[in-house]
Amino acid sequence: TYNTLLSLYTKKEDIVKSEEVWRDMINAGFKPDLVTYNTLLSLYTKTGDTIKSEQVLNNMINAGFKPDLVTYNTLLSLYTKTEDTIKSEQVLKNMINAGFKPNLVTHNTLLSLY
């Protein structure tokens, strides 16, 4: 499936192949789901691309999906990687306000910021 291929190329941090799978999926008429968006968000987080990560998040929300715990933890990872304390704290607040409890991944990610 497209999600499996996207996940494979994301793990390899292969932006070109990941974006190719994304385009192929859309062109074939398949709609991305929350897993698809989270995988693409993870790719751009791993590569430290804040702009593309935020575009994926906005596209996900515009498509009617709400961020889940994976989404929030991925965003935290992005902003700790880029040492953006303000955005990291905002993501944590948004996570809690959305009803999610920070888990071990959340705490470990935040520890790397401080």
Side-chain angles (χ1 to χ4, degrees), residues 9-64:
Y9 293 127
T10 293
K11 286 178 183 168
K12 294 182 174 199
E13 297 182 28
D14 189 333
I15 295 171
V16 173
K17 287 288 191 183
S18 294
E19 290 177 343
E20 183 180 305
V21 169
W22 173 265
R23 280 189 303 277
D24 289 348
M25 183 180 90
I26 300 300
N27 291 338
F30 291 96
K31 293 189 185 269
D33 60 15
L34 185 58
V35 172
T36 313
Y37 284 110
N38 278 339
T39 304
L40 201 57
L41 181 63
S42 177
L43 169 69
Y44 295 127
T45 293
K46 287 179 179 191
T47 59
D49 192 330
T50 305
I51 293 170
K52 284 194 177 182
S53 293
E54 291 173 350
Q55 286 173 345
V56 169
L57 177 66
N58 289 331
N59 290 341
M60 180 185 85
I61 292 169
N62 290 337

Side-chain angles (χ1 to χ4, degrees), residues 28-106:
F30 291 96
K31 293 189 185 269
D33 60 15
L34 185 58
V35 172
T36 313
Y37 284 110
N38 278 339
T39 304
L40 201 57
L41 181 63
S42 177
L43 169 69
Y44 295 127
T45 293
K46 287 179 179 191
T47 59
D49 192 330
T50 305
I51 293 170
K52 284 194 177 182
S53 293
E54 291 173 350
Q55 286 173 345
V56 169
L57 177 66
N58 289 331
N59 290 341
M60 180 185 85
I61 292 169
N62 290 337
F65 296 100
K66 292 182 181 178
D68 64 2
L69 188 59
V70 172
T71 310
Y72 287 116
N73 281 332
T74 304
L75 288 169
L76 275 175
S77 180
L78 170 68
Y79 295 129
T80 57
K81 184 178 206 163
T82 59
E83 298 180 356
D84 192 331
T85 306
I86 293 170
K87 285 191 177 181
S88 295
E89 290 174 355
Q90 187 60 52
V91 168
L92 182 61
K93 286 178 190 174
N94 291 345
M95 173 193 290
I96 293 168
N97 289 339
F100 295 101
K101 291 183 178 182
N103 62 9
L104 185 60
V105 172
T106 311

